[in-house]
Amino acid sequence: MSTNDATNTSSGAIHWPVPLRRAVVRKRTSYADLVQAWIDELDRNQATLCRWYDGLDRAGCATAIGRLRTWHGRFFASDDAGEEVARDEPNTLDSPPAFFVRLWKGALRVLLEPARFADDGKPMATTPDVLQVVPAKKGAALRLEQSANGEVRNADADFAMGDLVEFPLFVFLRAAGLSNYAGLSFDGDGSPFLGSSVAGANGEGEPVLHDNMMAMRFQLLLGLGRGAFSAEGKPVYKNGKPQQLRPHAFGDGAKVWARGMMYAGTLAYKPKSDRATIENYHWGAERDATAVPECVTNKSGIDNLSTEHPVTPGWTCSPATLLLTNYMLLIDKKRGGNSVRKTMTKSDYDGSTVRSYYVDTTPEKILEDEQPQIDQMRTRIETIVKEIEEILPLLGGEQSIAALAIDQAAKDTAWATDVPESVRKLLARRRKSPQSVYDTIRGRLARRRTSDEEAAQLEPLRLDLIERGVVVRERITTLVATEGWKAVPIKPNSIKLKGRLPVRSELEREEARDSRRVPRMKFNENVAKALGDKRKALKKAGDGPLGGLDAIAVDITDYCSDFSIVSLDGHEWALVKLRPAENLLDAREIPRAGFIAAYDPLSCEPAFIGEGERERGQLTVFEATGGLRRWTHSGTTYNTYGAKPFKWVPLDGNRVAIGPRKKGGMFIRQKARFRKKEGSTQRDETAGTGSWKKFCHIWRCNEAGLDRLASEYGTRGAGDWTPFVIIPTKKGKDEAVKAATRRIEKNWEVYYKERAIPFPTIDECEGGFVTHAEMTQAMRNMIDLSEPSFDGSEKCQFLWQSLTGKERPDPPPDAGADEICEIDDGPAQECVLPESVAP
Amino acid sequence: MSASNAAVAMDPSETRTHLVRPGECLSELAERYGLHPDTIWNHPDNSELRDARTSSRVLEPGDVLVVPELRQRRCEKASGKRHSFVRKGVRARLKLQLKKEGEPRADVAYTLQVDRRPPVEGRTDAEGRIDQPIPPGARRGVLVIPEDSERIVLRLGHLDPEHTPRGAQSRLRQLGFYGGGVDGELGERSTDALVAFQQSCGLEASGELDEATAARLREEHGS
């Protein structure tokens, strides 16, 4: 084999979200290398292609690859090469079909482009027939010449991190002899996220191309959360320091910053138009915008923003999970179809913008097919919740175990019935305090004047409680020893708070010594007294199988479906099980719906952290968080307004850590749960829920599943989803804001057809969002005593604290008793819907 | 008063040889030596080369070409008048037929720039042909077809004979069967291309550059 026959691959520069067809660029690469990577990919997977596409055989593949190589060799030929031709004699130059790739610009390229906007009222400038030279701050320029349908036409084009390209697989198939693919071409208005990247000539009956639309659809959500507002100059600040996400973006000068927040409005259903849309529902605002500033957030959230940073509406947990479940799972008859379509028009967007991943079926059929899986997942979730509840006492130490044991006893109707009435009443009164129950029994037994008859009645109760405690402990021991559970070591400085569990031998020893000398169950004190300093305590505590636990981590891979919505008390979060994108190649038949896979929208790094997870599926947290406070004023509930961090974090080992909550119950611990690399701005646990659940479906353990969705929405055009659009929040009379809003509204289709992250940037929304400074001023204005409706009550105090982080030194007098605000104890997540979108 | 002017003519008895180098062809050499191409090609001492080559326009590097020396020729003309002397010769031409996937590219706009001369615009004929005069010594051309964003660099006169590895690679490449470089080494990709070509022509798919294949390559390519 000659040297020229060798291939020059650059697969490390790209990632294949849809193998053989669609790729994203991880680092700067040339056009020639990009196509070469496709050639290599095709060459490696000829058998797969032949399996998927009827009529395609290895000979056809070889021919097509030869044509592709020929085109590559000719199109990217250097001036030193060229075609050797004869003078004065005929020469035939038979060109192969052109294999131009379709480009959707990544966030970095968009940021680097000198101009992205047309004037207000005019469509965004497109790039046909124009050689756009995009300057990088350092290094060579990004040259780009695109045709009207988005094909890259200049051989010296460069591709930057974040670019999304689709290769002309239909040209390849045609070159391989499949003539039915001859009528296809890239759709200049199409989007890979909507299944419309390729158009057919006839509109009906086009041949099918393989796809992974589930992954692309999920990717759209990630783009919204992770990359919609990425900007070079406006990074997320954390602890006063800008957080750059990408270490090697492009060249050595350009940087991309991800906001890591969910933007736009909230998923809502509009009865008037009978459709669901994304709505901004003015968190914390009354309809009269002059009454309360539209943006009020708490200090910790503000601290993560620069002064002039726009503060945007965000989604909290419920809308985020709603969006995920509804957008990904709710099926309607219009979504669907082939991944090849004729054209994409605005009416298409209006009517059925989301393509189905289930072809030739109905919503009812989908639900029927999915129901077993739904039921199975629900059962699994219930199982894990039950096991967690059993294990929780371990985290509270011996006291909690005793509490559980006594609670079990208290629920036992036959327990403590064979005792004098006085004792039974005494115990009944004290059952709310397990320790008191035990102490009561122990005290009675220890008391000298207790009769032998009463002691004989009480002693079995005491022993029963101990026995129940031991049983609970053993059960916990068994559970924790189960594969998948993992103890999280306790921190040295909290060792004193943890107790050593009683073991049977100790109890038996005590019993043997003196049945009347009842051991107290305050092992915390015993441990602290016996072990002295922390180091010894830690060592000693770690000796036992259950000692020294701060939390319990559990591998929940098998408990989770592809989408698992965990509805906790006051918080919802989703777990998404990702699969390697290349698994698509294992499909026996041509895949179109595919499965959930993902890459980072900015860096295009595939979303995997370990080989184990690669096999089992990588669980990632899809979550909007933020413990923004809620309060009630004059009967209306308000929620603090502000940007909510969006988290999309892989779980290391697919484990979540379960820890105790302050007021009992359980909570998935933030710090243990997230192996975060960046991004978190708030860590508050949350409490309480709002009215959202009355309106929108949340997939909970003991609720109906998708069938409810179908019954409530399925027949009312619920599938008519518009693609996501960023909606500025300042819809006042400000002309600049109006202009920004109009630009976005008019150009949203262009975003889809031109961009790998089809949303406007912060700059493009300039003026549409309030800034930190504006919000601060509004806050100060609002708490001014001259404003009669905010008279310095608790609400004002709260707002002041939110703004300054300090208690106001001179709280104003309570001037209006009937205006006193009620402030909830805990931070909240939910908010009522405004009247305009409430059903 | 008469004047005598010198002219050149062939003297078969006086010759020299020229070792053909890559990129050289007969028309270029004829221009360089001031001879008509046929004068060189038809020289008796080139009979062996003529037998070996199917075309005078496609020489192989290493070929030895016998070039006759120029000879003086006397021609008497009257003084006091202007006389025109026309040197016989043939202008070189670039002849291309553009196809796409086997079909002629009819009426396609193109731009051709030869060496550093001003670019020439034109359209292909109904058979997709381009026929443009070029300087005999032109070495490089750039053909641009805006419709398909094609830019083809042409190395004029570099085409080797069809039976040589380089010549075969060039023809396979221009006929759309080969995307590799032209290096004269018939590697795996070259062999695959030969097989594909042979299959398309109904020849035995041996992957070998045999005589029949070479002849068919020349026939399909035109040179």
Side-chain angles (χ1 to χ4, degrees):
Chain A
M1 183 174 168
S2 72
T3 54
N4 280 324
D5 284 342
T7 58
N8 176 26
T9 61
S10 61
S11 56
I14 63 174
H15 166 61
W16 296 90
V18 180
L20 297 160
R21 185 178 176 193
R22 206 170 286 139
V24 287
V25 179
R26 297 164 68 180
K27 60 183 179 182
R28 184 176 182 171
T29 188
S30 69
Y31 199 170
D33 285 348
L34 192 71
V35 177
Q36 183 61 56
W38 186 43
I39 295 173
D40 297 340
E41 179 85 349
L42 291 166
D43 206 10
R44 280 193 300 269
N45 296 290
Q46 292 183 49
T48 301
L49 284 168
C50 293
R51 189 171 72 241
W52 286 350
Y53 290 92
D54 290 339
L56 183 65
D57 54 23
R58 295 299 286 262
C61 272
T63 300
I65 290 174
R67 293 294 173 97
L68 177 53
R69 283 186 171 133
T70 302
W71 179 81
H72 182 280
R74 187 175 293 178
F75 186 67
F76 299 111
S78 67
D79 282 358
D80 295 336
E83 301 301 327
E84 299 182 349
V85 296
R87 293 192 189 94
D88 300 323
E89 292 271 315
N91 299 275
T92 299
L93 294 178
D94 195 348
S95 298
F99 291 87
F100 300 118
V101 305
R102 167 76 156 98
L103 166 70
W104 289 269
K105 299 169 184 174
L108 179 59
R109 184 187 289 273
V110 170
L111 294 172
L112 292 175
E113 283 185 340
R116 298 180 296 280
F117 269 126
D119 293 338
D120 181 35
K122 296 179 181 177
M124 176 185 270
T126 54
T127 57
D129 308 323
V130 177
L131 180 65
Q132 281 201 339
V133 178
V134 183
K137 289 186 175 178
K138 292 182 180 178
L142 275 174
R143 293 170 292 273
L144 176 65
E145 181 181 358
Q146 275 185 290
S147 66
N149 64 347
E151 293 173 345
V152 178
R153 292 299 189 98
N154 55 318
D156 60 350
D158 282 309
F159 292 81
M161 182 189 78
D163 283 346
L164 192 159
V165 296
E166 180 164 329
F167 296 95
L169 184 63
F170 48 90
V171 178
F172 177 89
L173 294 171
R174 191 184 65 205
L178 303 188
S179 58
N180 52 332
Y181 285 85
L184 304 185
S185 62
F186 285 123
D187 186 342
D189 294 328
S191 166
F193 302 104
L194 304 178
S196 57
S197 57
V198 175
N202 302 319
E204 297 294 335
E206 293 99 345
V208 173
L209 295 171
H210 74 272
D211 208 333
N212 188 352
M213 284 308 300
M214 288 292 276
M216 299 310 296
R217 191 172 185 177
F218 183 66
Q219 199 64 47
L220 179 60
L221 297 186
L222 286 184
L224 186 65
R226 299 282 297 166
F229 278 68
S230 57
E232 271 197 301
K234 295 179 179 175
V236 169
Y237 283 79
K238 186 178 180 183
N239 300 324
K241 298 179 180 178
Q243 302 295 302
Q244 183 187 357
L245 293 185
R246 306 274 63 89
H248 46 74
F250 168 74
D252 52 359
K255 298 175 181 176
V256 177
W257 313 83
R259 293 293 304 276
M261 297 179 183
M262 274 288 195
Y263 285 94
T266 297
L267 194 70
Y269 176 73
K270 300 181 76 173
K272 288 183 180 178
S273 58
D274 194 25
R275 59 190 291 185
T277 59
I278 302 294
E279 288 288 328
N280 161 36
Y281 55 101
H282 300 276
W283 290 67
E286 291 179 342
R287 298 308 300 167
D288 179 5
T290 61
V292 180
E294 291 194 1
C295 278
V296 178
T297 188
N298 60 12
K299 188 173 185 304
S300 62
I302 292 174
D303 285 345
N304 290 314
L305 303 173
S306 63
T307 304
E308 296 305 317
H309 203 288
V311 180
T312 63
W315 293 332
T316 49
C317 59
S318 292
T321 52
L322 280 168
L323 178 77
L324 178 72
T325 51
N326 288 358
Y327 186 64
M328 297 300 296
L329 295 177
L330 184 60
I331 310 300
D332 88 290
K333 58 179 181 293
K334 286 190 175 181
R335 296 185 200 160
N338 303 324
S339 61
V340 174
R341 298 179 58 254
K342 181 183 178 184
T343 58
M344 174 159 284
T345 64
K346 191 172 187 308
S347 61
D348 288 322
Y349 282 117
D350 288 341
S352 59
T353 53
V354 178
R355 302 289 162 254
S356 173
Y357 313 109
Y358 302 86
V359 182
D360 300 329
T361 187
T362 64
E364 292 73 18
K365 183 69 166 52
I366 294 300
L367 293 173
E368 183 182 340
D369 292 343
E370 296 294 319
Q371 197 60 46
Q373 187 185 357
I374 295 169
D375 293 341
Q376 187 182 34
M377 196 206 75
R378 188 179 298 142
T379 302
R380 286 174 172 172
I381 292 291
E382 288 170 351
T383 302
I384 193 171
V385 168
K386 184 179 178 182
E387 291 188 354
I388 287 171
E389 287 174 345
E390 287 189 68
I391 291 175
L392 275 175
L394 173 66
L395 304 171
E398 163 267 333
Q399 295 285 354
S400 295
I401 289 184
L404 187 62
I406 294 172
D407 184 58
Q408 290 177 354
K411 290 178 180 175
D412 186 348
T413 55
W415 192 78
T417 54
D418 191 19
V419 293
E421 182 67 19
S422 57
V423 173
R424 194 160 58 243
K425 287 182 178 178
L426 181 67
L427 293 177
R429 283 201 305 268
R430 298 189 176 185
R431 277 178 186 174
K432 289 186 178 178
S433 172
Q435 186 64 48
S436 296
V437 171
Y438 190 83
D439 285 349
T440 298
I441 296 173
R442 186 201 60 81
R444 291 270 177 157
L445 285 171
R447 201 171 56 179
R448 290 184 181 278
R449 55 192 171 95
T450 300
S451 66
D452 290 343
E453 182 184 4
E454 184 179 0
Q457 293 169 324
L458 290 175
E459 179 63 11
L461 297 180
R462 186 187 71 82
L463 293 177
D464 182 69
L465 288 178
I466 292 173
E467 185 63 27
R468 285 173 186 268
V470 170
V471 170
V472 168
R473 175 201 170 275
E474 289 177 344
R475 169 64 177 158
I476 293 171
T477 305
T478 303
L479 279 175
V480 174
T482 303
E483 186 178 0
W485 291 90
K486 180 182 178 183
V488 178
I490 193 171
K491 292 181 178 179
N493 59 7
S494 59
I495 183 64
K496 286 183 178 177
L497 301 178
K498 299 297 173 184
R500 187 166 62 90
L501 295 169
V503 295
R504 184 182 295 271
S505 59
E506 288 177 330
L507 294 171
E508 288 173 348
R509 252 195 329 271
E510 291 285 350
E511 295 301 312
R513 189 183 305 164
D514 184 352
S515 63
R516 302 294 292 264
R517 289 181 59 195
V518 181
R520 292 181 61 82
M521 296 176 72
K522 292 184 178 178
F523 287 88
N524 291 345
E525 295 176 8
N526 295 340
V527 169
K529 185 177 179 181
L531 299 180
D533 65 62
K534 293 176 182 175
R535 182 177 300 177
K536 288 182 179 177
L538 180 63
K539 182 178 183 303
K540 191 71 177 179
D543 285 346
L546 301 177
L549 294 181
D550 186 48
I552 298 173
V554 57
D555 183 338
I556 57 172
T557 308
D558 295 336
Y559 293 97
C560 294
S561 181
D562 287 350
F563 297 97
S564 301
I565 307 302
V566 181
S567 182
L568 302 173
D569 181 16
H571 186 48
E572 286 82 33
W573 52 292
L575 291 169
V576 182
K577 190 182 286 185
L578 302 175
R579 307 283 181 179
E582 58 267 28
N583 281 6
L584 199 72
L585 295 168
D586 297 334
R588 294 180 59 82
E589 297 179 348
I590 183 169
R592 285 187 284 175
F595 48 83
I596 309 302
Y599 58 86
D600 187 299
L602 297 179
S603 69
C604 299
E605 299 291 331
F608 277 93
I609 59 174
E611 284 304 314
E613 288 71 29
R614 179 176 291 272
E615 294 296 324
R616 301 179 302 155
Q618 172 66 62
L619 288 178
T620 55
V621 174
F622 183 94
E623 181 185 37
T625 67
L628 302 186
R629 300 196 62 179
R630 185 175 64 166
W631 72 97
T632 303
H633 174 65
S634 299
T636 301
T637 301
Y638 297 95
N639 202 101
T640 8
Y641 180 91
K644 307 295 196 304
F646 168 69
K647 291 181 177 177
W648 179 59
V649 186
L651 290 179
D652 192 2
N654 284 351
R655 296 176 189 277
V656 293
I658 315 297
R661 205 176 159 194
K662 291 177 183 176
K663 295 181 180 179
M666 67 171 178
F667 201 85
I668 312 296
R669 286 195 164 189
Q670 292 274 53
K671 60 183 179 183
R673 178 160 36 120
F674 299 118
R675 301 282 188 260
K676 59 182 168 54
K677 297 175 180 177
E678 69 274 323
S680 173
T681 60
Q682 298 191 41
R683 292 182 176 178
D684 293 346
E685 296 175 0
T686 59
T689 56
S691 59
W692 260 99
K693 291 169 187 169
K694 298 174 184 174
F695 171 58
C696 294
H697 171 79
I698 291 181
W699 198 355
R700 304 178 75 175
C701 300
N702 48 2
E703 286 185 9
L706 290 176
D707 51 337
R708 182 179 166 191
L709 279 177
S711 61
E712 292 191 359
Y713 298 100
T715 59
R716 295 191 301 170
D720 294 346
W721 304 89
T722 55
F724 305 105
V725 182
I726 305 298
I727 302 173
T729 56
K730 286 168 63 178
K731 288 190 172 181
K733 296 179 180 179
D734 188 326
E735 287 303 317
V737 174
K738 287 184 177 178
T741 305
R742 280 198 296 269
R743 278 200 302 267
I744 293 167
E745 290 174 348
K746 287 181 179 296
N747 289 312
W748 66 269
E749 288 174 280
V750 180
Y751 296 134
Y752 270 82
K753 74 179 185 182
E754 286 213 331
R755 296 186 177 182
I757 300 175
F759 309 107
T761 66
I762 286 180
D763 287 343
E764 290 166 341
C765 298
E766 192 67 47
F769 299 113
V770 294
T771 65
H772 178 199
E774 288 173 319
M775 186 176 61
T776 302
Q777 187 58 48
M779 283 283 287
R780 293 186 187 283
N781 293 342
M782 190 188 71
I783 60 177
D784 191 316
L785 290 179
S786 63
E787 171 56 65
S789 63
F790 299 98
D791 47 21
S793 61
E794 282 184 281
K795 180 176 180 179
C796 294
Q797 181 69 21
F798 157 67
L799 293 172
W800 178 271
Q801 289 178 354
S802 295
L803 178 64
T804 64
K806 301 174 183 176
E807 188 172 347
R808 195 176 187 190
D810 184 19
D814 184 1
D818 56 343
E819 295 286 346
I820 291 177
C821 304
E822 174 192 341
I823 300 180
D824 293 350
D825 285 336
Q829 283 280 37
E830 304 300 330
C831 177
V832 295
L833 281 170
E835 293 178 358
S836 62
V837 296
Chain B
M1 178 180 173
S2 66
S4 61
N5 296 299
V8 291
M10 184 175 68
D11 181 356
S13 62
E14 299 178 24
T15 60
R16 52 184 161 169
T17 58
H18 178 90
L19 181 65
V20 176
R21 289 172 294 186
E24 290 182 339
C25 68
L26 186 60
S27 59
E28 179 191 0
L29 295 175
E31 168 77 6
R32 189 185 306 169
Y33 288 109
L35 298 170
H36 190 280
D38 290 344
T39 304
I40 300 176
W41 189 246
N42 294 328
H43 191 278
D45 291 348
N46 285 326
S47 60
E48 191 174 337
L49 183 62
R50 285 200 301 273
D51 294 339
R53 298 286 171 260
T54 51
S55 169
S56 62
R57 270 57 180 176
V58 181
L59 301 177
E60 184 175 2
D63 284 348
V64 177
L65 199 63
V66 175
V67 181
E69 290 291 347
L70 294 174
R71 65 180 176 85
Q72 284 192 336
R73 178 176 171 185
R74 301 192 70 83
C75 181
E76 294 187 354
K77 295 292 181 183
S79 59
K81 292 184 178 179
R82 295 174 63 86
H83 302 280
S84 296
F85 295 88
V86 178
R87 173 192 166 199
K88 291 182 179 177
V90 179
R91 291 192 69 180
R93 302 194 74 84
L94 175 62
K95 299 178 180 178
L96 302 173
Q97 184 182 24
L98 304 185
K99 292 184 177 179
K100 187 154 194 175
E101 300 180 71
E103 296 298 320
R105 303 170 76 172
D107 197 30
V108 171
Y110 69 86
T111 301
L112 177 66
Q113 183 175 22
V114 176
D115 288 338
R116 296 188 177 182
R117 291 167 177 264
V120 176
E121 294 183 354
R123 302 188 78 88
T124 60
D125 66 11
E127 296 298 319
R129 292 196 185 95
I130 296 173
D131 189 350
Q132 289 281 356
I134 59 172
R139 289 296 184 93
R140 184 175 183 275
V142 177
L143 178 69
V144 176
I145 305 169
E147 180 181 289
D148 291 326
S149 300
E150 279 192 76
R151 179 179 179 274
I152 304 172
V153 176
L154 303 170
R155 304 181 68 197
L156 307 175
H158 278 71
L159 187 66
D160 284 355
E162 64 278 9
H163 67 270
T164 66
R166 282 187 65 94
Q169 284 178 323
S170 289
R171 288 170 176 80
L172 287 168
R173 183 181 160 95
Q174 289 164 31
L175 291 172
F177 291 93
Y178 177 60
V182 179
D183 58 2
E185 295 182 34
L186 296 180
E188 184 179 349
R189 284 172 61 179
S190 299
T191 303
D192 290 344
L194 278 169
V195 169
F197 174 75
Q198 289 165 334
Q199 287 174 335
S200 72
C201 298
L203 299 173
E204 183 187 357
S206 64
E208 300 291 331
L209 181 58
D210 51 33
E211 193 170 330
T213 302
R216 193 59 181 264
L217 272 174
R218 173 178 172 75
E219 180 183 340
E220 295 292 329
H221 183 264
S223 294

